[in-house]
Amino acid sequence: MIKKVIIGTTIALLLAACSSKETGDNDHQKNIQKGLDAVAENDFAKAEALFELSVEDKPNDQTTKAYLEQVSLIRQANEDIENDRVEAGLEALKKAEKYKTGSKVISAKAEEQIGLLTSSKNTEEAYRQLLKEAESLAKSSNYKDSNDKLTKLLNEDLSNYNDIKQAAESLKETNLAEIEKKAEEQTAASKEEHSTVAQPTEKTYDPYEWAPGVKEAFEADMVNRQYVDSVDTLRYEKLQVYNNQGFYTVYGQIDGVEMYIVNVNVKTGDYHG
């Protein structure tokens, strides 16, 4: 009777142990599956917590450890990226993707993030290059060309690149100010040039100035009429101004002797004497 009781008790314990093991295995598998589901939903913090529970349940399960390591790498990568350590984050994602004993589901998520990060990185590099070109043009005083590039840049979605956006907006404002300043300087220079251009001044009226051609005709007439030996001997002295017209007293040499000849109007050429 005692033997039967002992045997019965042993069987009961074995059945309880088997039941407990099955329950533990079920919980372990459930946590793994829940962790993979969390990965699919991009909830890597939840996935990491579930895989940690699974590792605690079965510390020697290398597969679960691999899952946990993959997710931890992805979480570390995301933290690096948030802190502008993009290259470090990219390396962590590559490790998670290539983890040999890891989950294909987790590897696919790492690969997806690598693609997004690479695309974002290339986009950022293109934006920074455009900003650099605009800055170079501004330094060369090509403010309009610089602003053309800045306008193109600011038309892009820069919501994830606030530093680029702020730098572009600031440079554009500076360029506009320089363009306006240059225009004002050109306007001022043009006005100054216009105001300083020598304006033709009216010649002051001189009553004793000969009218065009009058002197030549008068002197030729003096020689033709033989009033003087030659034009070279003629000498003029101012006589008077009448009706705003000047009169000269004319002297000349006849046979080598200087004498008074006539009085002449320098405007009309009329003479008498």
Side-chain angles (χ1 to χ4, degrees):
M1 183 67 179
I2 294 174
K3 184 177 180 180
K4 289 182 179 180
V5 171
I6 292 173
I7 291 173
T9 301
T10 301
I11 292 172
L13 289 172
L14 288 172
L15 289 173
C18 289
S19 176
S20 177
K21 182 177 183 301
E22 288 177 0
T23 300
D25 287 342
N26 288 337
D27 290 342
H28 179 73
Q29 291 301 321
K30 285 180 180 180
N31 285 335
I32 291 175
Q33 187 56 53
K34 287 179 180 179
L36 293 174
D37 290 342
V39 169
E41 296 171 356
N42 295 318
D43 192 345
F44 300 106
K46 180 179 179 181
E48 186 176 41
L50 289 165
F51 290 144
E52 284 176 348
L53 287 175
S54 297
V55 170
E56 288 177 4
D57 289 339
K58 289 191 174 184
N60 296 323
D61 187 344
Q62 298 303 316
T63 298
T64 308
K65 285 184 177 181
Y67 291 1
L68 176 59
E69 182 62 24
Q70 278 181 295
V71 170
S72 296
L73 284 168
I74 292 176
R75 290 203 68 196
Q76 180 61 51
N78 292 336
E79 183 179 336
D80 286 336
I81 294 167
E82 287 178 3
N83 290 295
D84 294 326
R85 298 191 296 268
V86 177
E87 293 300 328
L90 191 57
E91 286 301 314
L93 287 172
K94 288 179 179 178
K95 288 180 182 179
E97 179 196 14
K98 301 298 182 182
Y99 214 92
K100 293 182 179 180
T101 59
S103 164
K104 291 182 179 180
V105 173
I106 302 175
S107 292
K109 279 295 178 179
E111 182 181 10
E112 177 184 319
Q113 288 202 9
I114 288 171
L116 292 173
L117 181 59
T118 301
S119 176
S120 176
K121 183 180 176 184
N122 292 339
T123 299
E124 180 179 358
E125 288 177 354
Y127 290 164
R128 291 195 183 281
Q129 178 61 31
L130 196 56
L131 177 61
K132 184 178 179 181
E133 291 173 3
E135 290 172 339
S136 179
L137 286 167
K139 288 181 180 178
S140 301
S141 299
N142 295 324
Y143 303 115
K144 182 181 181 302
D145 292 341
S146 176
N147 270 5
D148 287 343
K149 287 187 178 291
L150 292 172
T151 298
K152 180 180 178 181
L153 177 58
L154 290 169
N155 283 336
E156 299 291 338
D157 182 7
L158 300 177
S159 55
N160 293 323
Y161 311 98
N162 286 330
D163 62 322
I164 297 177
K165 182 179 180 181
Q166 290 174 3
E169 290 175 339
S170 177
L171 180 57
K172 190 171 185 179
E173 288 181 4
T174 301
N175 285 347
L176 289 173
E178 289 296 335
I179 290 172
E180 185 177 350
K181 178 182 176 182
K182 191 173 182 180
E184 291 175 352
E185 289 175 349
Q186 289 177 341
T187 300
S190 178
K191 288 181 178 179
E192 182 178 354
E193 181 181 357
H194 180 73
S195 63
T196 57
V197 170
Q199 299 295 327
T201 55
E202 292 185 4
K203 189 175 181 180
T204 304
Y205 180 79
D206 183 357
Y208 281 104
E209 182 179 3
W210 292 88
V214 170
K215 184 178 182 182
E216 291 80 2
F218 168 73
E219 291 180 341
D221 194 39
M222 292 296 99
V223 174
N224 290 336
R225 291 176 179 271
Q226 297 182 347
Y227 287 176
V228 294
D229 294 337
S230 70
V231 173
D232 296 334
T233 68
L234 290 173
R235 183 171 64 84
Y236 300 92
E237 290 184 0
K238 291 180 179 179
L239 175 61
Q240 65 176 354
V241 175
Y242 180 75
N243 287 337
N244 212 26
Q245 297 176 350
F247 288 81
Y248 281 118
T249 297
V250 184
Y251 298 89
Q253 291 184 11
I254 300 176
D255 296 331
V257 178
E258 184 181 85
M259 59 183 63
Y260 164 77
I261 305 300
V262 293
N263 295 326
V264 62
N265 184 321
V266 300
K267 304 300 182 184
T268 65
D270 295 336
Y271 58 88
H272 61 86

